[in-house]
Amino acid sequence: MKLLCFDCLDSTNSYLKQNYQELESLTFVETKEQTLGKGRLERKWQSEKGKNLLFSILLKDSCYFEKYKEISIVSAYSVIQVLEQYGLTNIGLKWPNDVYVNDSKICGILLESVSTNQMECLIVGIGINVNQKSFSKDLIHPATSLFNELNKEIELNQFKKDIYQQLITNYQKLVDKETFYEKIVRYDYLKDTEAYALINDEKKLVKIIKINNDYSLRIIVDNNECDIHSGEISFHI
Ligand code: BTN
């Protein structure tokens, strides 16, 4: 593992997209501040300087490429494991890979890839709210942080080490063909809920059944049961 630390970047994901050729697999890039932090669905990721954990991991080995769906959800599960070690409870994994605590978002993950003729790399970008105390009221989903949940400041450096270690451990287990499904579904936040989803630009009320064991999501929409594979959808409970 190689760690690159910056004070300010446009986005740790963009940095890896631009520099992946010179960097080795399992390079971690972190920054205290992002000027163009990216979220899923073309959204922005906002974070107060120096308060939170903002990083991306570069995966260049083909053993990861065929497992990108697992990489995405196992990354979220790794964050959950560390949050539990820090004493947080009532944690949910909102498909495909958001982490919620007490119904507010504490972590978002943006998975991107670079392909030419073939897949060149996967980039896992992770933002975790750690010591930030207040969040914009305009956010689509309400946000929280470890500080707000535990009412105490977290030592960011140690937290970072714990997160990195958990991710590396779980990625290795994935390569060794360990299955995480049973562990992950215990945190299925959307299971048995009704939520609004934007499908083909149309807002629809859907019933969510569960995360399937291929990590797609089973839903009922217009009385039809179907599985969604793409994460290009957002649910509002
Ligand atoms: C989301 O919930 O929409 C995903 C948010 C991902 C944010 C992280 S912060 C580090 C990395 N760099 C980015 O520009 N985005 C990801």
Side-chain angles (χ1 to χ4, degrees):
M1 172 189 159
K2 191 175 169 200
L3 182 57
L4 302 175
C5 306
F6 293 89
D7 277 336
C8 187
L9 285 178
D10 53 354
S11 146
T12 53
N13 271 35
S14 305
Y15 178 87
L16 283 179
K17 270 192 174 176
Q18 284 148 20
N19 297 287
Y20 75 92
Q21 278 164 319
E22 292 85 52
L23 297 169
E24 62 191 58
S25 195
L26 287 176
T27 295
F28 281 61
V29 178
E30 63 175 66
T31 188
K32 293 191 174 80
E33 182 183 24
Q34 294 185 128
T35 51
L36 287 171
K38 296 187 287 185
R40 287 176 55 238
L41 309 169
E42 312 289 319
R43 292 177 185 144
K44 288 188 190 133
W45 184 260
Q46 291 167 346
S47 174
E48 220 177 289
K49 182 174 185 174
K51 296 281 182 189
N52 302 317
L53 194 54
L54 304 166
F55 68 102
S56 302
I57 310 153
L58 176 66
L59 299 173
K60 284 172 90 173
D61 304 311
S62 57
C63 60
Y64 296 118
F65 300 164
E66 67 231 32
K67 290 183 182 285
Y68 74 92
K69 264 197 241 161
E70 284 106 310
I71 292 283
S72 157
I73 207 157
V74 166
S75 300
Y77 173 65
S78 308
V79 173
I80 291 176
Q81 286 180 293
V82 176
L83 295 182
E84 284 191 332
Q85 287 160 21
Y86 276 72
L88 272 75
T89 53
N90 200 14
I91 308 179
L93 195 160
K94 187 175 172 203
W95 188 90
N97 55 21
D98 287 344
V99 180
Y100 273 61
V101 176
N102 290 323
D103 297 321
S104 295
K105 183 161 164 172
I106 199 163
C107 166
I109 299 181
L110 176 67
L111 194 75
E112 296 189 277
S113 61
V114 178
S115 301
T116 49
N117 292 333
Q118 54 185 27
M119 177 90 88
E120 300 284 341
C121 69
L122 272 180
I123 295 165
V124 189
I126 303 183
I128 308 173
N129 300 327
V130 183
N131 286 320
Q132 187 165 331
K133 297 182 179 71
S134 58
F135 295 90
S136 160
K137 298 276 169 286
D138 303 334
L139 294 175
I140 296 171
H141 303 289
T144 190
S145 63
L146 276 95
F147 180 91
N148 287 356
E149 296 301 321
L150 299 171
N151 222 355
K152 66 170 188 210
E153 197 90 9
I154 300 298
E155 217 278 284
L156 200 51
N157 223 25
Q158 185 57 49
F159 181 72
K160 177 179 87 182
K161 285 185 196 155
D162 294 335
I163 290 282
Y164 291 175
Q165 190 51 54
Q166 195 64 60
L167 285 162
I168 296 274
T169 303
N170 286 342
Y171 289 169
Q172 187 53 49
K173 286 183 177 176
L174 260 185
V175 173
D176 295 339
K177 308 241 179 312
E178 183 164 323
T179 136
F180 284 85
Y181 180 68
E182 301 301 335
K183 297 179 190 109
I184 283 173
V185 286
R186 289 193 282 127
Y187 297 94
D188 189 349
Y189 181 71
L190 292 173
K191 185 176 166 62
D192 298 327
T193 61
E194 284 194 334
Y196 285 99
L198 209 57
I199 301 174
N200 298 331
D201 283 335
E202 210 186 319
K203 192 174 168 189
K204 293 208 166 189
L205 187 63
V206 302
K207 172 138 180 47
I208 293 134
I209 313 288
K210 61 169 185 169
I211 298 173
N212 297 313
N213 63 6
D214 65 355
Y215 298 123
S216 60
L217 190 72
R218 180 149 308 155
I219 64 170
I220 298 177
V221 55
D222 297 335
N223 290 323
N224 295 316
E225 203 164 301
C226 61
D227 294 332
I228 314 178
H229 294 268
S230 155
E232 294 305 302
I233 187 166
S234 105
F235 295 99
H236 302 264
I237 296 179

